[in-house]
Amino acid sequence: MIIIMKPTASEADLTRVIERVRMHGLDVHLSRGEERTIVGVLGNVQGLDRNAFEVMPGVESTVRITQPFKVASREFHQTDTIIDVRGVKIGGERLVVIAGPCSVESREQILETARAVKEAGAHILRGGAYKPRTSPYSFQGLGEEGLKLLAEARELTGLPIITEVMSPDEVPLVCEYADILQIGARNMQNYRLLQAVGKTQTPVLLKRGLSSTIQELLMSAEYILSNGNYDVMLCERGIRTFERYTRNTLDINAIPVLKQISHLPVIADPSHGTGKWRLVAPVARACIAAGADGLMVEVHPNPDLAWSDGAQSLRPDRFTRLMAELKPLAAVVGRAL
Ligand code: PEP
Ligand code: MN
């Protein structure tokens, strides 16, 4: 339930409303708009008497949130959430492109890629230091050394950095370096991890699980939001279907669905969504046309030699071309790049 305060409501009116909510053992989330304040009631509101709130001084109305995800729902927060990451605004009119290698492999590799993607117009640098690999024998990432190299690349280019965190006990360390924490598809329902990143103030990019529904993705986002971290963006990265020609099937439907039922920014990942570099550009364009707020694209200076996901990584010159193609397309859908 949300409680909409009148523009004329006083702080004392608001305090009384909050106290009353807390009397029921529930918590609140306040949105202070220019005009009015909205009180989001968090927790199990069944049995709560809406009328009792509606007659309180300063209260204009109450709205029941019908979706099982509350803070993530568009009913809770009507306008698009815009997340500010070191001055890069995610979810606003401007599209945001996150680019970089699947894994940080070496100093030369990450610095060269960072320079190239910056030059091409990317806004955020990606790179995995802790890698969730299907096989325990595959490269698992450089760990903290990788985080240090990412920080050096940020220093060099000014690009904010995003990197994956895989376990709750690594959250404090990754937070020391990362501007955005990535929760990988395989960890989308790792609830302890979601709670741990929810307790930080570092923005989070939550990737959709390999076989997760849109509702499950939003329920996972709710775990982060309900722990107090409101800077959550959602990532459609393809789901597992019967189709084997591509690594995954990027669910294009998810983009407009998420934009309709949630206020959180939506990022699309055509690299993992297809698994093939030749498909990355066309699917990236489709994602922007469908209303994505941005893209995450894997770029490697030498994809043939990449330690992970080379087959879906773009060479820097191809990434540069993609960025040029996206510019006019962005304008057509009322966005800027
Ligand atoms: C990645 O971004 O490199 C990655 C491992 O993605 P996902 O969790 O979507 O498979
Ligand atoms: Mn990858």
Side-chain angles (χ1 to χ4, degrees), residues 102 126 131 272 298 309 312:
C102 179
R126 66 151 283 150
K131 295 303 300 177
H272 294 86
E298 286 186 338
D309 289 352
Q312 64 192 37

Side-chain angles (χ1 to χ4, degrees), residues 9-324:
S10 67
E11 278 300 310
D13 293 339
L14 181 63
T15 305
R16 271 191 293 274
V17 168
I18 295 171
E19 278 169 0
R20 184 151 197 165
V21 170
R22 296 213 165 116
M23 248 168 53
H24 288 86
L26 301 167
D27 210 352
V28 298
H29 168 260
L30 290 187
S31 306
R32 286 181 188 269
E34 300 240 311
E35 270 269 291
R36 62 186 85 230
T37 296
I38 293 175
V39 183
V41 182
L42 306 177
N44 187 355
V45 295
Q46 264 171 9
L48 205 61
D49 181 6
R50 274 171 55 198
N51 290 332
F53 284 94
E54 283 182 351
V55 296
M56 289 181 76
V59 173
E60 185 163 279
S61 61
T62 64
V63 179
R64 202 166 76 88
I65 298 182
T66 52
Q67 304 279 18
F69 43 88
K70 304 294 175 189
V71 189
S73 78
R74 186 64 86 178
E75 292 166 305
F76 186 86
H77 192 271
Q78 270 108 54
T79 57
D80 289 344
T81 282
I82 298 175
I83 301 173
D84 191 316
V85 180
R86 287 182 177 252
V88 176
K89 294 195 166 49
I90 306 170
E93 191 203 343
R94 223 164 237 292
L95 298 174
V96 170
V97 178
I98 303 169
C102 179
S103 306
V104 179
E105 299 168 5
S106 68
R107 188 163 180 271
E108 296 66 43
Q109 176 247 15
I110 190 65
L111 296 188
E112 184 183 343
T113 315
R115 259 193 229 104
V117 299
K118 161 92 183 185
E119 178 76 20
H123 308 95
I124 296 171
L125 176 68
R126 66 151 283 150
Y130 296 90
K131 295 303 300 177
R133 303 306 298 280
T134 302
S135 164
Y137 306 118
S138 300
F139 175 55
Q140 303 284 309
L142 295 181
E144 189 174 3
E145 182 54 27
L147 298 177
K148 288 188 174 148
L149 294 174
L150 280 168
E152 194 179 337
R154 170 176 58 205
E155 195 73 22
L156 180 77
T157 58
L159 294 175
I161 54 179
I162 173 170
T163 196
E164 178 159 355
V165 59
M166 284 173 56
S167 82
D169 45 289
E170 283 161 356
V171 169
L173 176 70
V174 179
C175 278
E176 279 179 36
Y177 296 91
D179 300 305
I180 306 175
L181 300 171
Q182 176 171 322
I183 301 293
R186 290 156 190 80
N187 270 318
M188 190 204 85
Q189 288 183 314
N190 181 338
Y191 300 117
R192 292 289 169 269
L193 180 60
L194 300 177
Q195 285 166 333
V197 299
K199 288 190 166 64
T200 75
Q201 289 306 309
T202 305
V204 177
L205 177 132
L206 176 65
K207 298 190 93 174
R208 181 176 179 185
L210 278 71
S211 302
S212 298
T213 64
I214 292 170
Q215 180 161 317
E216 285 164 341
L217 170 62
L218 288 165
M219 293 310 287
S220 288
E222 196 73 14
Y223 265 88
I224 304 170
L225 297 161
S226 63
N227 275 279
N229 188 345
Y230 300 113
D231 290 337
V232 178
M233 55 207 104
L234 307 166
C235 180
E236 166 56 42
R237 49 77 73 205
I239 50 174
R240 188 163 285 190
T241 68
F242 57 79
E243 180 53 61
R244 301 300 345 133
Y245 184 77
T246 50
R247 180 180 181 186
N248 292 294
T249 299
L250 192 135
D251 179 10
I252 202 90
N253 299 356
I255 298 168
V257 169
L258 288 169
K259 293 301 295 179
Q260 278 166 25
I261 63 180
S262 175
H263 54 90
L264 299 173
V266 176
I267 303 294
D269 173 352
S271 303
H272 294 86
T274 62
K276 293 185 172 180
W277 71 264
R278 282 179 191 280
L279 302 177
V280 170
V283 175
R285 293 193 296 262
C287 293
I288 295 305
D293 296 301
L295 297 170
M296 177 183 256
V297 180
E298 286 186 338
V299 178
H300 194 286
N302 201 338
D304 293 349
L305 301 178
W307 295 0
S308 60
D309 289 352
Q312 64 192 37
S313 298
L314 294 185
R315 273 190 345 226
D317 60 322
R318 294 196 166 113
F319 175 68
T320 303
R321 207 173 310 149
L322 170 61
M323 290 296 285

